[in-house]
Amino acid sequence: MARFDDKLAAHQRELAAAHKTSSSRGGITRRGFLIGSVAGSTMLAFGVSGAALAAGADGKGSASETLSAGAFEPTMWYAIATDGTVTVHITKSEMGQHVATSLARLVVEELEADWDSVKVDYVDSAPKWGYMITGGSWSVHQSYQPLSQAGAAGRIALIEAGAQQMGVAVESCKARKGRVISGDQSLSYGEIVAAGLERSFSEEELAAIELKPASERRVLGTRGNALDVPPKTNGQAVYGIDYTLPAEIEARVGKTLHARPVMPPSRFGCKVTAVDDSEARKVIGYRQTIELKDPSGICQGWLAVIADNFSAAMRATDLLKVEWSKGDSYQVDETAIQAEGQRLVSSPSRDNGSLLVDQGDPAPLLENATTTVESTFTTSSVLHFTLEPANALAYEEDGHWHIHCGNQQQSLLTSLVTKALELEEGKVTHHQLYLGGGFGRRLHGDYAVPAALASKAVGRPVKMIFTRPDDSRFDCVRSPSVQRLRSGLDAEGRVVASEHAAAAGWPTAALMPAFMAEAIEGGGKLDSFSISGADHWYNVGTQRVWAQQNKVAHEAFVPGYLRSVAPGWTLWAVEQHIDELALAAEQDPAEFRLALLDAEGRNAGKAPVSTGGAERLRNVLKRVMEKSGWSERDSLPADTGMGVALSFGQERSMPTWVACVARVKVDRATGEVKLEKLTSVVDAGTLAHPDGAMAQLEGSLLWGVSMAMHEGTEYREGGPVAQNLGAYQPLRMHQVPQMDLEFVDSTEMPVGLGEPGTTVVAPAIANAIQHAVGVRLRDLPMRPAALKAALSEA
Amino acid sequence: MANFTLNGKAVSLEVDPQTPLLWVLREHLGLTGTKFGCGIAQCGACTVHLNGTAARTCVLPVLAAEGGDIVTIEGLAENDDHPLQQAWVEEQVPQCGYCQSGQIMQAADFLKNTPDPTDEQVTAAMAGNLCRCMAYVRIHRAVKRAATIANERATSQVSGQQTDATAATAGVGTFDPRATAGTVSHSAVEETSHGKV
């Protein structure tokens, strides 16, 4: 079945093909790797378009001349200057995952560069970078092969040139810490570059480069600091909200004006009917209020308050009196959305979605099963609540638009602005900055649109900032969900069949419908981000999984991608359902899981990405049982329980193997749950940056705690009910449990780490609560009132 | 006209007296290290020191700081070498980093008054600062480490320890906020090959 990443890869190929066609000359369109020395700095160019090779091949100029003439736009991953500085170009967004450090490590490992000479730059959007997106925990995994090979190619070229310059045989040379060494002689990379070198690699040569064996690694898997940490301790890191245009740009395009959006009562269909700014005019610095006309449809019934500074815009907005005619979406609330979800999962069909897994019809097996277990699980709307609220600075110069803000999907952002401003393709550039949190919120580029529309309207650069409530109301929330699962056991307690239906708003349908995946058996499209996780690695006999699109949700808001996306709800259901089955089979839930993880058939795994398959999930489960003291589980104090849950990360095609045990103590009188401890063991293959990996695990598990017990809101009257702290309560330090975390030592293919930890925690806690007091909570987040009510019924 | 001392220098500027101090710092004075998070003094991203005490600036009119002594993250220490800043690097605390100026300013006020804090005191002092990336394990650890650094500097006049991250592997991590002082650290016991340099 074609999944999102397959679609993305296909899209990348199309872009690359189009790019090659437009720039190729001389009939050579092969991709290759090219190195040329230009004006004292070597550019190592991977994935060179035809023009460069053609220029060299037909004698019209050497590679270096081509580079210096700028006659082509190769995909350049890094450059080495004559002082030896290696600058790695980062196309991914830096939002807390230290991604630049990990990617630079991939290059440096094979290049054998000196880490202390490494710099990174976060590039502007440009077609040469391909489709620009940072999400899905994909960055290190997808960059591993290309960046490692680019690094290795550079090493080979530097050794060849260094050997020549030293007058020694290539075979006598090795590269270490930015030097080519032969016996007692050595040259630094900077010296070699200064002397000049040229080298090109064909696509075949590049693909044939073997990466170092794991035993030779000197960087990956080792300790080391993140490049972005120091500027984040002294106030020097520049986030989108901090960015101001340099004076020389303002001298050309005008001084920046500041804006705050005025949000309509609901997301869709609102129209402004009256505006009174008489009070707002009293704010010093207030200029005007403008209505935003948006051909792209993102901003329906929006205004923008324009002022000399944001503080004035913020306060003037509060004094503005606006009347709207409300759109229909104002009436669509969470109750209606969830009622539709219940309807969809009770009779799933191709009218509303497709099958993700279909191993035949489980119904006859379920009817003949000795025991059947059926249950329904729900989750509420969740906000991204990035601490840096949405913002963007937009301006036009000579017909070209520039957008400065932190963003996770530059390719979508620029296309949205293109549409909203009714521009030709290629007239918008995104300039990247640090992101004060991403979590999937900034996979959408919607917040750049009102800034650009306002700038167009006033003819000056505009920096627009959303206040916290503005940001919450404009958030592409994690859709609420409803799921129904039904499974059957035979007389021996084996699972013979299982069916699962999940209904939610579909983020991909809302944000980027062209990327919807083809469902199996010609059954239409589905959004894998609405159902991933349900295609788990347990052998549950004949399995069928339905993804259903809750279109009522789409009437109220734009469903978004929130850290981990679908597994945030699918695992909430699957991992509790497995526990329910274990209880029905009168087996220990961990031992029951071990038996289901037989690693046979489709669960055997495939090299190199999922080598070992379910066996690796068994491995982390066994280890977490040891670490957590699972064997003592039945001798815990009263009202104390332990629960387990597993995750395979985001996708079967890139599994991160996660096991988590939660230990809780329940206060029966209040329904309060004290999360005492989390124990987690993770196998993520090779860790490019182990300390960053641990930071992601710590943070993602605590995100899991936060969403399990503290976050969650509901959509009502056109927006989320909770729009700021007070009503919305992400986890604080005093709520952090004891934690005991471990990575499996592995040299397998690196996989994702930003998200996988988030999704195991809630079901582990729910299973622990059930173990502690015999009551199961099926609605997320778990609130004390719900537990108290359930206890009184029990 | 607003007048105050900012990072040791006298400042006078023409500004609407109702403007929150946060925006005076960010927009009028160009110091963007202090952040806008919630706008209702609940997240702590906008924390600075006003007359030596941690203060939330997003709801504080500049009028209320008239004549005051203000220190922001940019002015916390010359050469950015405050024990907290050193500890923040050694423990590799920041993820997105957006809240960290506020966390550090909050912690600096706390440590000044509580140079040998217990784990519970650290937690209580920092509970008002939201970290959306949930880097709490490291924030807690770094505050403790900063206290140690400050005490060592005071006794030996020798600043700094190692500049690399923690002395332990990243392959194993433990956190116990209720442990007695000194035990909140990465475990070095189960060092794996991830720990090699």
Side-chain angles (χ1 to χ4, degrees):
Chain A
M1 189 198 67
R3 300 291 291 265
F4 180 85
D5 38 352
D6 298 330
K7 301 282 282 190
L8 192 60
H11 191 67
Q12 296 268 29
R13 286 193 294 275
E14 281 166 27
L15 277 175
H19 185 54
K20 274 188 221 169
T21 308
S22 65
S23 60
S24 73
R25 293 185 204 103
I28 299 175
T29 57
R30 242 173 18 173
R31 285 159 58 89
F33 183 99
L34 179 141
I35 298 166
S37 183
V38 186
S41 117
T42 287
M43 309 186 82
L44 297 149
F46 167 67
V48 173
S49 63
L53 294 173
D58 62 13
K60 285 180 186 164
S62 70
S64 58
E65 285 165 342
T66 308
L67 282 165
S68 62
F72 71 107
E73 281 197 349
T75 302
M76 293 182 291
W77 294 117
Y78 60 96
I80 305 178
T82 51
D83 67 354
T85 302
V86 179
T87 304
V88 183
H89 304 306
I90 304 297
T91 65
K92 302 296 180 184
S93 31
E94 194 70 87
M95 50 193 174
Q97 78 285 47
H98 308 313
V99 69
T101 301
S102 288
L103 300 188
R105 279 172 155 246
L106 298 178
V107 172
V108 167
E109 176 71 73
E110 291 288 341
L111 184 60
E112 300 284 4
D114 178 4
W115 180 256
D116 292 336
S117 68
V118 170
K119 289 195 171 125
V120 294
D121 74 312
Y122 301 93
V123 301
D124 296 343
S125 66
K128 67 181 177 186
W129 302 117
Y131 196 89
M132 299 180 80
I133 182 169
T134 309
S137 299
W138 293 321
S139 296
V140 171
H141 173 72
Q142 293 184 349
S143 303
Y144 175 65
Q145 198 73 10
L147 287 188
S148 297
Q149 282 174 332
R155 181 191 72 227
I156 291 166
L158 285 156
I159 286 178
E160 285 176 0
Q164 196 177 24
Q165 288 170 24
M166 291 188 283
V168 300
V170 166
E171 295 72 35
S172 74
C173 295
K174 65 175 180 180
R176 289 286 185 283
K177 289 198 98 173
R179 300 189 77 82
V180 174
I181 302 160
S182 173
D184 296 340
Q185 297 187 72
S186 75
L187 284 174
S188 74
Y189 285 3
E191 289 169 320
I192 297 168
V193 168
L197 79 158
E198 281 183 25
R199 175 77 156 91
S200 67
F201 290 78
S202 70
E203 190 173 12
E204 291 75 16
E205 285 177 298
L206 200 57
I209 293 176
E210 278 192 35
L211 303 183
K212 297 196 298 193
S215 58
E216 288 292 309
R217 285 177 184 158
R218 282 169 274 279
V219 179
L220 304 185
T222 68
R223 220 158 39 79
N225 287 354
L227 298 166
D228 59 315
V229 162
K232 291 175 175 176
T233 64
N234 59 17
Q236 297 307 306
V238 178
Y239 299 80
I241 200 170
D242 302 329
Y243 184 76
T244 52
L245 281 181
E248 63 265 28
I249 293 180
E250 288 199 334
R252 301 195 302 264
V253 300
K255 197 164 166 48
T256 304
L257 293 173
H258 298 262
R260 178 184 167 190
V262 186
M263 315 282 293
S266 66
R267 191 60 191 265
F268 305 113
C270 292
K271 289 198 177 71
V272 175
T273 55
V275 182
D276 172 5
D277 70 348
S278 52
E279 288 299 310
R281 285 173 181 276
K282 294 172 185 168
V283 175
I284 298 165
Y286 170 80
R287 284 179 172 250
Q288 59 177 325
T289 298
I290 56 173
E291 193 171 343
L292 301 178
K293 302 288 185 192
D294 180 6
S296 78
I298 285 174
C299 300
Q300 301 183 17
W302 286 46
L303 302 156
V305 169
I306 310 290
D308 292 336
N309 55 67
F310 177 69
S311 173
M314 182 170 59
R315 287 173 293 138
T317 303
D318 291 335
L319 297 171
L320 202 64
K321 295 185 185 74
V322 187
E323 288 172 26
W324 283 271
S325 67
K326 287 177 190 153
D328 292 342
S329 73
Y330 187 81
Q331 306 299 336
V332 181
D333 63 12
E334 191 117 343
T335 308
I337 294 167
Q338 294 297 69
E340 172 67 0
Q342 295 280 1
R343 187 185 75 80
L344 291 171
V345 299
S346 64
S347 55
S349 75
R350 292 197 188 274
D351 295 340
N352 300 292
S354 294
L355 286 164
L356 176 76
V357 178
D358 188 13
Q359 298 176 325
D361 188 0
L365 289 158
L366 290 170
E367 271 152 36
N368 293 325
T370 308
T371 313
T372 55
V373 175
E374 179 176 341
S375 44
T376 300
F377 298 91
T378 52
T379 66
S380 306
S381 295
V382 181
L383 301 179
H384 289 87
F385 212 95
T386 58
L387 199 52
E388 178 197 9
N391 63 81
L393 187 157
Y395 74 96
E396 182 255 319
E397 182 172 24
D398 300 333
H400 196 93
W401 281 83
H402 299 269
I403 309 291
H404 295 260
C405 63
N407 187 260
Q408 294 177 246
Q409 192 169 194
Q410 300 93 316
S411 297
L412 175 63
L413 180 146
T414 50
S415 75
L416 294 175
V417 173
T418 297
K419 195 173 174 190
L421 298 184
E422 299 180 300
L423 301 169
E424 296 165 34
E425 288 296 318
K427 296 292 184 188
V428 181
T429 298
H430 171 264
H431 303 270
Q432 188 67 286
L433 293 145
Y434 280 130
L435 285 67
F439 316 120
R441 169 62 183 95
R442 293 182 221 268
L443 280 167
H444 206 347
D446 51 1
Y447 50 91
V449 166
L453 290 169
S455 175
K456 184 181 180 183
V458 300
R460 294 260 291 268
V462 165
K463 180 175 176 180
M464 177 177 280
I465 300 175
F466 291 63
T467 64
R468 177 55 50 191
D470 296 343
D471 178 281
S472 295
R473 292 185 56 203
F474 192 42
D475 192 11
C476 41
V477 299
R478 182 171 92 179
S479 172
S481 71
V482 181
Q483 296 173 84
R484 180 170 165 269
L485 293 91
R486 191 159 67 113
S487 302
L489 299 164
D490 66 14
E492 281 76 46
R494 286 187 298 251
V495 188
V496 293
S498 184
E499 61 183 17
H500 181 175
W506 285 11
T508 309
L511 268 66
M512 38 208 301
F515 286 90
M516 294 270 280
E518 298 291 340
I520 50 176
E521 295 172 3
K525 304 265 186 182
L526 67 73
D527 182 356
S528 57
F529 288 90
S530 76
I531 192 66
S532 178
D535 51 346
H536 51 70
W537 295 74
Y538 297 116
N539 181 350
V540 289
T542 301
Q543 185 186 5
R544 182 173 271 183
V545 177
W546 282 99
Q548 297 286 286
Q549 183 181 9
N550 188 330
K551 289 169 185 159
V552 176
H554 290 250
E555 292 172 19
F557 55 81
V558 176
Y561 302 96
L562 185 138
R563 197 172 190 177
S564 250
V565 206
W569 59 86
T570 56
L571 295 193
W572 168 244
V574 167
E575 289 294 320
Q576 288 208 67
H577 188 62
I578 296 290
D579 253 48
E580 292 180 302
L581 292 171
L583 282 174
E586 298 180 341
Q587 292 181 36
D588 174 274
E591 298 289 345
F592 187 74
R593 280 173 171 81
L594 287 172
L596 294 180
L597 295 169
D598 59 15
E600 286 174 11
R602 66 196 283 267
N603 296 325
K606 254 191 279 189
V609 178
S610 57
T611 304
E615 187 57 39
R616 286 170 77 188
L617 210 39
R618 278 174 64 89
N619 183 46
V620 291
L621 174 53
K622 285 182 188 168
R623 181 69 187 126
V624 85
M625 288 167 72
E626 287 168 21
K627 272 179 87 76
S628 64
W630 186 262
S631 58
E632 310 296 311
R633 184 173 182 258
D634 290 326
S635 48
L636 293 171
D639 301 335
T640 302
M642 284 170 77
V644 68
L646 306 181
S647 167
F648 61 95
Q650 309 315 117
E651 311 269 342
R652 281 182 74 95
S653 57
M654 189 192 68
T656 301
W657 314 102
V658 184
C660 181
V661 168
R663 191 180 74 210
V664 304
K665 182 166 175 56
V666 176
D667 183 331
R668 286 177 180 268
T670 62
E672 297 276 351
V673 174
K674 169 81 177 166
L675 176 60
E676 294 185 336
K677 185 174 182 181
L678 289 178
T679 308
S680 183
V681 177
V682 177
D683 178 353
T686 297
L687 302 179
H689 177 212
D691 188 61
M694 182 55 85
Q696 285 305 294
L697 181 58
E698 291 163 356
S700 62
L701 287 168
L702 293 181
W703 252 73
V705 176
S706 194
M707 287 196 285
M709 302 169 73
H710 304 288
E711 296 190 40
T713 181
E714 62 179 295
Y715 236 79
R716 201 194 304 153
E717 295 179 350
V721 171
Q723 298 178 5
N724 206 340
L725 299 176
Y728 202 78
Q729 288 282 8
L731 186 84
R732 303 281 185 149
M733 188 182 279
H734 64 282
Q735 295 156 327
V736 174
Q738 191 182 346
M739 295 208 286
D740 188 4
L741 318 178
E742 181 180 310
F743 282 105
V744 171
D745 195 11
S746 170
T747 55
E748 295 291 345
M749 185 81 168
V751 288
L753 267 169
E755 300 171 286
T758 55
T759 57
V760 284
V761 177
I765 291 173
N767 289 337
I769 291 171
Q770 196 284 330
H771 181 233
V773 293
V775 161
R776 185 166 292 285
L777 297 180
R778 291 187 171 82
D779 182 39
L780 194 67
M782 291 172 271
R783 302 287 191 201
L787 180 51
K788 196 177 167 185
L791 282 166
S792 67
E793 284 169 23
Chain B
M1 186 72 81
N3 304 282
F4 48 84
T5 304
L6 176 61
N7 297 331
K9 290 180 186 158
V11 171
S12 293
L13 76 164
E14 204 68 57
V15 62
D16 181 341
Q18 290 307 314
T19 307
L21 178 58
L22 171 68
W23 296 101
V24 174
L25 295 171
R26 289 181 56 84
E27 298 198 299
H28 298 268
L29 299 166
L31 294 183
T32 55
T34 308
K35 303 302 189 196
F36 175 52
C38 66
I40 54 171
Q42 296 286 306
C43 75
C46 65
T47 305
V48 305
H49 295 171
L50 174 59
N51 299 324
T53 303
R56 307 284 203 249
T57 56
C58 68
V59 291
L60 187 75
V62 66
L63 189 65
E66 182 66 19
D69 182 15
I70 296 163
V71 177
T72 68
I73 185 70
E74 292 90 346
L76 180 63
E78 277 185 41
N79 308 318
D80 303 329
D81 63 352
H82 189 281
L84 282 158
Q85 290 170 314
Q86 183 184 332
W88 245 243
V89 173
E90 288 175 0
E91 295 291 352
Q92 294 284 286
V93 172
Q95 290 190 28
C96 91
Y98 194 76
C99 71
Q100 298 298 347
S101 299
Q103 302 275 1
I104 289 170
M105 297 309 283
Q106 176 73 22
D109 179 21
F110 165 65
L111 285 186
K112 194 174 57 186
N113 299 312
T114 319
D116 290 301
T118 64
D119 288 323
E120 292 75 10
Q121 285 174 316
V122 172
T123 299
M126 301 305 294
N129 286 67
L130 176 68
C131 174
R132 184 45 163 158
C133 301
M134 315 250 163
Y136 295 122
V137 169
R138 292 175 187 225
I139 294 169
H140 191 282
R141 198 185 286 151
V143 174
K144 298 278 297 204
R145 189 180 188 111
T148 306
I149 293 168
N151 291 334
E152 282 171 2
R153 284 191 196 175
T155 53
S156 68
Q157 302 284 307
V158 177
S159 69
Q161 298 175 320
Q162 76 231 48
T163 53
D164 202 3
T166 60
T169 174
V172 178
T174 58
F175 177 68
D176 187 350
R178 286 162 300 279
T180 51
T183 61
V184 180
S185 69
H186 279 257
S187 162
V189 178
E190 301 182 67
E191 182 131 351
T192 69
S193 66
H194 298 310
K196 75 190 174 189
V197 176

